[in-house]
Amino acid sequence: MSLNRKPALGFIFVTLLIDVTGLGIIIPVMPKLILELTSGTLSEAASDGGWLISAYAIMQFICSPIMGALSDRFGRRPVLLASLFGFGLDYILLAFAPTLGWLFIGRIIAGIMGASFTTAGAYIADISTPEKRAQNFGIIGAAFGLGFILGPVIGGLLGDLGSRVPFLFAAALTLLNWLYGFFILPESLKSENRRAFDWRRANPVGTLKSLFRHNVIAGLFFALAFVYISTHAVQSNWSYYTIEKFSWTERTIGISLGVVGLVFAIVQGGLIRIIIPKLGQERSVYIGLGLYALGFFLYGIATEGWMMYAITVVYCMGSIAGPALQGIMSGIIPPNEQGELQGGFTSLMSLTAIVGPPIMNNLFAYFSGSQAPFYFPGAAMLLGAVLTIISSMLARRSLKKRML
């Protein structure tokens, strides 16, 4: 196994990088593709786009624990390869989809097979020595950061060649990685470490129920949930909002999202290590949520495209709140429940990705459509600010309980 560690880690990094890059590639061109298929308005396309993201999130929430349990039973290699093949098939379906219904089929397939992140983490744990495990897990964050910088920029540039070209490029990348893995990737899970498949353990809700035994944790989870939902005002709504308000092209959208990804990576990868120790976790939560709320508000009232780049610095600085909240919760939970806590964070992100995109995109659709009582495309951004303020109130209430 030691001989295979370096090649296997390299493959896992490339797999995650391609997965995240592929997700980022399609963001700038999705509005244009939906408009081509439906011949509707941008407002209607935004609503459809929100439901597409939700369909993917629903299937991932249900199926990721199942695929993780299957990887414990049959090994990491077959589940990883199946996941890659599923993503490749999804991108091909998106590239040649004749109707909106086929886009939903593709997103559902991707959600079902989208276990690569969970299984990749298990693969790293399998092949890492105890002293190298934390360091090796760092490649997951590195792949996410780099992928969300490269993906939108590549998608925006390729979008100039046609709305379907980025999907074909993402499919080619994914299937080439699948082919390489099919011939090169070794299995990491030894036969003696495998366990029988148990439906009761392949359950994403059970983890959250168990964690909610702790009153403080329950309140902080709700605070974090409001933050995660609010971020979809940017994550799911950015392309539609900037097209409507600033007439941005796919290229401009891709570059702008690349800038957001870069600033976010700088904050998360570097500044956060300085800011949180100086401010302390609790103050970091309040200041971070305040900056988030301010960022959402400024995004919502921006009148010129260049303002979006300047406001991005304020918005991304708000991201210190999430890790600070997670750090507080980790300090409350006993050592033998830390893994369960991390699983709870993943389940929470999946749940909020189910409800967040439809809420934010449909709010944008309503206030930018012909039936709106008044025209205000920034409505979703302002809702993000309101939800963030509610999150800070919930966090303050829960943290007061911790002091009693």
Side-chain angles (χ1 to χ4, degrees):
M1 181 65 67
S2 61
L3 295 175
N4 290 325
R5 275 181 184 152
K6 287 186 178 179
L9 275 175
F11 176 84
I12 294 299
F13 174 76
V14 171
T15 295
L16 293 173
L17 178 61
I18 288 176
D19 281 358
V20 178
T21 301
L23 291 172
I25 281 174
I26 68 177
I27 293 174
V29 294
M30 187 60 84
K32 185 177 180 181
L33 179 59
I34 295 173
L35 287 170
E36 289 176 359
L37 292 176
T38 61
S39 301
T41 65
L42 183 65
S43 299
E44 292 166 342
S47 179
D48 293 332
W51 290 114
L52 280 168
I53 297 172
S54 184
Y56 172 84
I58 289 170
M59 299 314 299
Q60 189 172 54
F61 177 72
I62 295 170
C63 295
S64 283
I66 297 173
M67 299 295 278
L70 287 173
S71 79
D72 285 341
R73 172 65 182 88
F74 298 105
R76 317 301 184 201
R77 173 185 155 88
V79 174
L80 268 174
L81 293 178
S83 177
L84 284 171
F85 190 80
F87 268 121
L89 181 60
D90 166 49
Y91 293 134
I92 291 172
L93 279 174
L94 295 177
F96 294 101
T99 65
L100 184 65
W102 281 100
L103 292 188
F104 276 96
I105 292 172
R107 292 283 78 190
I108 288 169
I109 291 173
I112 292 171
M113 305 304 294
S116 56
F117 305 122
T118 302
T119 311
Y123 196 107
I124 291 170
D126 292 340
I127 66 173
S128 300
T129 58
E131 62 272 13
K132 289 285 188 179
R133 189 163 291 156
Q135 177 182 328
N136 289 343
F137 271 123
I139 73 167
I140 297 178
F144 265 84
L146 187 57
F148 275 118
I149 295 170
L150 294 176
V153 174
I154 294 171
L157 295 175
L158 291 176
D160 287 345
L161 304 176
S163 61
R164 301 185 185 244
V165 173
F167 298 96
L168 292 172
F169 184 80
L173 275 181
T174 305
L175 292 177
L176 281 173
N177 195 34
W178 169 78
L179 193 64
Y180 175 81
F182 185 83
F183 289 105
I184 302 297
L185 184 68
E187 178 54 62
S188 64
L189 187 63
K190 297 177 181 178
S191 298
E192 61 268 25
N193 292 332
R194 300 185 187 189
R195 65 176 177 88
F197 182 85
D198 185 353
W199 281 107
R200 291 172 299 179
R201 297 182 66 175
N203 176 12
V205 179
T207 297
L208 292 174
K209 281 185 177 179
S210 177
L211 289 171
F212 279 10
R213 299 191 317 267
H214 308 272
N215 288 333
V216 175
I217 290 292
L220 293 177
F221 253 94
F222 279 114
L224 202 57
F226 277 100
V227 173
Y228 286 162
I229 292 172
S230 71
T231 60
H232 282 283
V234 171
Q235 293 176 14
S236 305
N237 194 45
W238 182 274
S239 299
Y240 304 96
Y241 176 62
T242 53
I243 290 172
E244 175 70 21
K245 196 159 187 180
F246 309 114
S247 301
W248 280 4
T249 64
E250 290 84 4
R251 177 190 290 260
T252 310
I253 293 168
I255 292 172
S256 68
L257 287 171
V259 171
V260 173
L262 178 61
V263 178
F264 186 81
I266 291 171
V267 173
Q268 291 289 304
L271 294 180
I272 205 168
R273 301 173 187 274
I274 302 170
I275 294 172
I276 292 181
K278 284 193 173 182
L279 294 177
Q281 289 181 333
E282 192 168 332
R283 287 183 66 198
S284 295
V285 169
Y286 299 136
I287 292 173
L289 291 175
L291 290 171
Y292 256 152
L294 179 60
F296 282 125
F297 176 75
L298 293 175
Y299 276 148
I301 64 170
T303 56
E304 299 289 341
W306 64 265
M307 295 179 180
M308 301 296 282
Y309 292 94
I311 297 164
T312 290
V313 176
V314 177
Y315 173 77
C316 289
M317 285 297 293
S319 66
I320 65 173
L325 271 172
Q326 292 179 12
I328 291 170
M329 286 188 270
S330 182
I332 296 170
I333 292 293
N336 62 352
E337 294 181 23
Q338 291 294 326
E340 190 173 45
L341 177 65
Q342 299 307 314
F345 290 144
T346 302
S347 296
L348 184 66
M349 289 183 71
S350 297
L351 279 172
T352 54
I354 293 171
V355 300
I359 290 172
M360 296 304 180
N361 284 30
N362 279 294
L363 190 63
F364 163 81
Y366 179 72
F367 279 99
S368 61
S370 58
Q371 303 300 317
F374 55 91
Y375 178 77
F376 185 56
M381 298 294 185
L382 291 198
L383 177 60
V386 171
L387 292 178
T388 307
I389 292 169
I390 293 172
S391 173
S392 66
M393 294 167 63
L394 290 172
R396 184 173 179 80
R397 182 180 176 184
S398 297
L399 292 173
K400 278 186 175 180
K401 288 182 182 178
R402 187 180 65 149
M403 302 302 292
L404 298 177

